[in-house]
Amino acid sequence: MTAIAATVQAFFTERLARQRRASPHTIAAYRDTLRLLLGFAAQRTGTSPCRLDIADLGAPVISAFLDHIERERGNSVRSRNARLAAIHSLFGYAALRHPEHAADIERVLAIPAKRADQTIVTFLTDPEAQALLAAPDRATRTGRRDHAWILLAIQTGLRASELTGLTCRDVHLGAGAYVACHGKGRKDRITPLTPGTVTTLRAWLAERAGAPDDPLFPTSRGGPMSHDALQQRLAVCTAAATRSCPDLTSKNVTPHVLRHTAAMRLLHAGNDITVIALWLGHENITTTQIYLQADMTLKQRALDRTTPPASTPGRYRPPDQLLAFLESL
């Protein structure tokens, strides 16, 4: 067994699982990165993955791999940087076990992360959210399930992994109703539920009739829905919703967009950014500040405060629909 093969095995079993107690999501992400890297290096060098050595995974190969996943696999800069972070973690561990490869390892660790453009988050307006909630066919069990999880996502802002990991025991519908989840970074949190969400979940739980440890939103076979299943069902519902709300055609609606929608609703309701960070389970409040940048309402209020005293605050709106049409040409 080569040095890299033994190091990869020890990295997962000793470093990640035993020493760091990494979450299953972290282990899966690192596994996928290294599987892609080893496959790329094997194809490039003509050597099977189990026979690759650390010298075969030098900085030129790692840089070529990062370019490959961006250009040919269509990964974003953020995904590229996440892959690089996993590789850095492996090579940092390898540096302790193989000082004879210190020069190769040091050059890999010196590969910098790429700066990414900060985009404005996408979220749904109230009419768009209502159209999406009305899209599932509630005459079917699948439609009632989809309506329930989409409503829960929009109201609570749970991540896709948190939605798929929910069990029947995680929903508490008595006084002070809430949903409990085990979130990112091994953090447990509870999120209160509105009366409308409580009514929907109570009806769904009665129909679901599952044991406490069964998934709250199962597939037709009874297992938990995957992230891909959430996205596929959401795409179906979005396509149906565009018939009543054409504005949805310009938006790529994903489970994370539903999370952004929950955050923007809280912000528009006047909640402090620290409360929103706590609600979403953000470890750092700077993560939550992206919603301030996307909120045109707050920016308009700031603009109105700086309006000269002699002028009327607010944006100009044509007095007539026909004039508005002509001015838009």
Side-chain angles (χ1 to χ4, degrees):
M1 183 178 289
T2 63
I4 193 63
T7 301
V8 167
Q9 292 186 8
F11 175 68
F12 280 96
T13 58
E14 181 179 343
R15 172 55 65 88
L16 292 182
R18 189 171 66 83
Q19 295 179 356
R20 294 183 57 186
R21 293 189 63 231
S23 71
H25 297 295
T26 299
I27 292 175
Y30 281 26
R31 174 205 64 202
D32 292 343
T33 296
L34 296 181
R35 186 167 55 188
L36 288 172
L37 173 61
L38 293 174
F40 175 83
Q43 185 177 18
R44 185 183 178 93
T45 62
T47 305
S48 61
C50 65
R51 295 183 179 276
L52 291 170
D53 211 337
I54 292 178
D56 297 319
L57 297 175
V61 174
I62 302 298
S63 296
F65 168 71
L66 296 173
D67 289 340
H68 163 75
I69 62 175
E70 265 195 276
R71 296 174 183 173
E72 298 183 30
R73 294 182 62 87
N75 284 189
S76 66
V77 173
R78 294 182 184 276
S79 296
R80 180 254 191 206
N81 289 341
R83 302 291 191 196
L84 178 59
I87 294 169
H88 278 171
S89 184
L90 170 65
F91 276 77
Y93 178 69
L96 303 176
R97 295 169 58 95
H98 301 286
E100 69 275 14
H101 292 287
D104 289 327
I105 292 173
E106 184 177 1
R107 283 191 284 271
V108 171
L109 294 176
I111 297 175
K114 184 179 287 188
R115 297 190 65 177
D117 295 333
Q118 187 170 356
T119 58
I120 301 298
V121 298
T122 300
F123 63 95
L124 303 183
T125 63
D126 285 345
E128 291 168 347
Q130 291 304 317
L132 183 61
L133 287 170
D137 181 7
R138 279 179 270 178
T140 66
R141 177 183 171 89
T142 298
R144 291 188 291 272
R145 179 203 64 189
D146 291 344
H147 173 78
W149 77 256
I150 292 173
L151 175 62
L152 183 65
I154 291 175
Q155 195 251 288
T156 63
L158 293 181
R159 298 179 178 91
S161 60
E162 295 166 347
L163 285 168
T164 58
L166 289 176
T167 62
C168 294
R169 74 162 72 246
D170 293 327
V171 178
H172 302 263
L173 302 180
Y178 66 90
V179 60
C181 74
H182 187 68
K184 186 178 179 180
R186 297 183 179 273
K187 295 189 292 290
D188 292 324
R189 75 179 190 277
I190 58 175
T191 307
L193 301 174
T194 62
T197 305
V198 170
T199 301
T200 298
L201 289 179
R202 181 173 286 117
W204 170 247
L205 280 173
E207 179 179 358
R208 169 74 181 85
D213 291 327
D214 287 343
L216 178 61
F217 302 115
T219 63
S220 58
R221 297 184 178 182
M225 296 178 71
S226 65
H227 185 284
D228 289 341
L230 286 184
Q231 181 59 65
Q232 189 272 336
R233 293 305 308 165
L234 188 57
V236 170
C237 295
T238 302
T242 55
R243 291 193 287 269
S244 61
C245 185
D247 289 345
L248 283 169
T249 56
S250 63
K251 295 186 176 180
N252 179 26
V253 183
T254 66
H256 215 69
V257 168
L258 304 185
R259 177 173 167 83
H260 292 328
T261 302
M264 294 303 293
R265 283 186 161 192
L266 291 169
L267 188 61
H268 289 158
N271 291 285
D272 187 82
I273 196 71
T274 56
V275 175
I276 300 174
L278 180 65
W279 185 286
L280 297 178
H282 285 165
E283 187 171 343
N284 194 326
I285 194 174
T286 56
T287 306
T288 320
Q289 289 175 349
I290 60 173
Y291 301 111
L292 293 175
Q293 299 175 12
D295 189 7
M296 284 296 295
T297 303
L298 288 180
K299 293 177 181 178
Q300 182 62 54
R301 291 174 187 166
L303 181 63
D304 291 344
R305 294 191 189 102
T306 62
T307 301
S311 62
T312 303
R315 292 181 177 271
Y316 168 74
R317 289 181 173 81
D320 185 85
Q321 291 183 354
L322 179 58
L323 293 179
F325 164 74
L326 292 174
E327 291 185 12
S328 68
L329 297 177

